[in-house]
Amino acid sequence: MPLLYTIGKLTVAPTLRLAFRPHVEGLEHIPATGGAIFAGNHLSVADELLLGTVVPRHLAFWAKSEYFKGTGVKGAFSKFVLTGLGAIPVERAGGRAALSAFDAAIPVLKAGDLVAVYPEGTRSPDGRLYRGRTGAARLAVAAGVPIIPVGVTGTDKAQPIGTRVPRPGRAVITIRFGKPLDFTGRSDDRTSLREMTDELMAEIQKLTGQEYVPRYAPKRAEPTADPTA
C-alpha cells in the first residue's frame, strides 16, 4: 500500500467514517489477497472518498490525466497527491491515449492490487442507473481477475453535483458489495463484452434499487475528475 494512502487510512478514513457513518454490507465479498476490480454506480464525488474509506485494502482509482499535468504549486501538489495515492491517469481524448489507462491497470491487477472503476462513465445526472460501458469487463478479461459489484446510495444527498464539500448528516449512506463476478475464459469480442457489462449492471442495480436507464448517461458540459471505465 502506498505510504500516502496508508497515512490517509490512519487519519482521514476514521474521520470520514465518524462523520458520515456509512452502513456497509458485504465486506466478506472483498478478497483478502489477489487482484480485483470494484465496479459501482456513481452518484457523487463522495463515492470515491467513502469507498476508499471502507475497503480495507489499497484501492487504485482512475483519475483524469489533466490532474497529473498541472503547472505551478497547485499542479505539483495535485500530481504528488494522486501519484502518492496510486491513482491511474485516464486520457479523456479517446483512441490510443485512452487505452493507456488499461495498459497501466492490467499490471496493477495482475500484481494483486485492487482497481475501482465506474462503468457509467460519469456521475448520474438524476439518480438513476445508466447503461454501463464495457471497460470494466474488458479489463477483467485482460487481467484475469473478478469484478466486485458495488452499490452506493445516499451520497448524492451528502454531496450533490455542483457542491465542492460533502455535508455529513444529510442522508443515510449505504455501501453494498456484491458477490464477485468471474468472467475467466470469456471472449473479449464486442458481443461478449456487452453481455458481461449488462450482467454487471444488473447486479449493481440489485444492490442499489435504482431505476435502470438502457442508454448511456449524458455527458456533462464540463468533464469532472471522476474515474471512468
Side-chain angles (χ1 to χ4, degrees):
M1 186 179 293
L3 178 59
L4 190 59
Y5 199 96
T6 300
I7 293 172
K9 293 290 284 185
L10 295 174
T11 56
V12 178
T15 302
L16 290 175
R17 286 196 298 270
L18 181 62
F20 291 95
R21 300 183 182 278
H23 176 68
V24 184
E25 300 176 11
L27 281 174
E28 69 273 13
H29 298 311
I30 299 177
T33 60
I37 298 167
F38 284 72
N41 63 315
H42 204 9
L43 297 173
S44 167
V45 172
D47 296 337
E48 293 97 322
L49 290 174
L50 293 172
L51 186 58
T53 295
V54 302
V55 173
R57 297 173 55 193
H58 174 245
L59 193 55
F61 288 93
W62 289 5
K64 192 170 66 171
S65 62
E66 285 87 340
Y67 283 82
F68 291 84
K69 303 175 182 178
T71 58
V73 175
K74 183 178 180 180
F77 179 74
S78 176
K79 180 179 180 180
F80 168 76
V81 170
L82 289 174
T83 301
L85 293 175
I88 300 171
V90 177
E91 293 285 352
R92 293 274 182 153
R96 180 63 244 176
L99 292 177
S100 64
F102 290 91
D103 295 339
I106 289 173
V108 170
L109 291 165
K110 287 186 175 182
D113 211 344
L114 308 175
V115 172
V117 301
Y118 293 99
E120 290 172 280
T122 187
R123 285 170 288 170
S124 171
D126 52 19
R128 297 185 293 176
L129 182 67
Y130 283 80
R131 189 182 198 217
R133 299 181 184 276
T134 60
R138 186 186 303 275
L139 186 59
V141 172
V145 299
I147 299 180
I148 312 296
V150 182
V152 179
T153 59
T155 52
D156 53 333
K157 304 295 191 301
Q159 188 176 4
I161 292 176
T163 59
R164 292 181 177 274
V165 181
R167 302 170 185 175
R170 299 194 65 178
V172 175
I173 294 174
T174 301
I175 303 174
R176 297 186 176 95
F177 300 97
K179 293 181 180 180
L181 299 176
D182 186 0
F183 295 132
T184 303
R186 297 278 287 269
S187 172
D188 63 353
D189 64 81
R190 180 178 296 184
T191 300
S192 182
L193 290 173
R194 183 73 263 160
E195 291 175 349
M196 287 184 279
T197 301
D198 290 344
E199 182 179 340
L200 168 63
M201 300 310 291
E203 291 301 314
I204 294 173
Q205 196 274 336
K206 291 177 184 177
L207 296 171
T208 66
Q210 292 170 279
E211 177 186 347
Y212 180 71
V213 182
R215 64 175 184 274
Y216 295 126
K219 293 183 178 180
R220 292 171 55 79
E222 296 181 2
T224 68
D226 301 324
T228 184

